[in-house]
């Protein structure tokens, strides 16, 4: 039986219960298992980045999206995100080394929207994950590999504006 769902400029045609056969979603991702529409994005105007975010930092996730560190929050506190910067088909954090103090980052998780301002860039060891600890203030922490230094990571820390 063919069912049609309509939700705010989006149409999803579904065959049976679990098989999505077509979708027209305006800027939203669809969780294929639950069929929930999730609008989860990051935008960094300085480096012309607009990307969807997905849960997890496994390779299959980072090959398509900016990944969310599952150990971190999605809204209030310290949100941790990761992405490739080179050598893959999708390298969303390719230009984050160009970010400077004061640059703005826009983050959206469904109805939650915040603007963050870059506070610092630093290099961390791949064993030092203190930058992802939760905080009382709202931060956005971006992490990617460091070119030719596999034991280190580039880290951009932005604070809510």
């Amino acid at each position: 039986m063919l069912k049609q769902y309509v939700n705010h400029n989006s149409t999803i045609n579904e065959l049976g219960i679990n098989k999505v056969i077509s979708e027209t979603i305006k800027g939203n991702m669809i969780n294929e298992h639950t069929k929930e529409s999730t609008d989860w994005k990051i935008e960094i105007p300085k480096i012309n980045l607009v990307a969807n975010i997905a849960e997890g930092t496994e390779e299959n996730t980072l090959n398509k999206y900016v990944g969310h560190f599952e150990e971190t929050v999605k809204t209030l506190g310290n949100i941790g995100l990761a992405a490739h910067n080179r050598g893959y088909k999708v390298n969303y954090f390719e230009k984050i080394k160009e970010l400077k103090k004061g640059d703005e980052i826009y983050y959206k998780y469904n109805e939650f929207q915040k603007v963050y301002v870059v506070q610092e860039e630093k290099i961390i060891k791949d064993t030092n994950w203190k930058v992802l600890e939760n905080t009382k203030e709202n931060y956005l922490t971006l992490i990617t590999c460091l070119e030719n230094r596999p034991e280190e990571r580039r880290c951009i820390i932005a604070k809510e504006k």
Side-chain angles (χ1 to χ4, degrees):
M1 179 172 186
L2 185 65
K3 299 178 183 177
Q4 184 172 10
Y5 299 91
V6 179
N7 182 5
H8 304 292
N9 294 327
S10 64
T11 303
I12 303 171
N13 293 316
E14 184 173 86
L15 181 62
I17 295 174
N18 295 319
K19 178 77 174 153
V20 174
I21 59 174
S22 73
E23 59 185 70
T24 308
I25 305 292
K26 196 170 189 177
N28 288 346
M29 293 187 305
I30 297 296
N31 180 324
E32 293 178 13
H33 300 293
T34 63
K35 306 295 184 279
E36 293 177 19
S37 174
T38 303
D39 193 7
W40 200 3
K41 294 184 177 301
I42 182 171
E43 181 177 350
I44 308 175
K46 175 158 185 193
I47 59 173
N48 298 315
L49 172 69
V50 177
N52 288 326
I53 301 170
E55 190 65 60
T57 55
E58 300 81 22
E59 185 175 347
N60 62 343
T61 301
L62 297 182
N63 286 339
K64 297 177 185 176
Y65 307 101
V66 170
H68 173 255
F69 285 97
E70 295 175 11
E71 303 82 15
T72 68
V73 297
K74 294 177 184 168
T75 55
L76 302 175
N78 186 14
I79 302 164
L81 303 176
H84 295 308
N85 66 43
R86 63 180 169 67
Y88 292 88
K89 186 176 179 180
V90 177
N91 300 294
Y92 286 122
F93 284 178
E94 180 178 28
K95 297 180 181 179
I96 70 166
K97 62 185 167 191
E98 297 175 19
L99 295 176
K100 303 291 182 224
K101 188 172 183 172
D103 291 336
E104 291 186 342
I105 301 172
Y106 301 90
Y107 174 84
K108 181 176 184 185
Y109 179 73
N110 293 326
E111 301 303 316
F112 179 86
Q113 297 182 55
K114 294 280 183 191
V115 178
Y116 297 84
V117 177
V118 173
Q119 299 297 301
E120 68 177 299
E121 175 208 17
K122 61 183 179 177
I123 306 304
I124 60 171
K125 293 280 187 194
D126 66 350
T127 55
N128 178 8
W129 297 103
K130 289 185 180 190
V131 294
L132 293 176
E133 290 178 355
N134 202 14
T135 56
K136 290 183 181 182
E137 296 183 82
N138 296 327
Y139 284 92
L140 185 63
T141 303
L142 311 180
I143 296 178
T144 193
C145 294
L146 196 59
E147 301 84 3
N148 304 316
R149 292 164 57 186
E151 70 287 347
E152 295 178 315
R153 302 289 179 262
R154 181 176 310 279
C155 178
I156 302 291
I157 299 171
K159 186 176 181 182
E160 180 184 2
K161 186 174 181 178

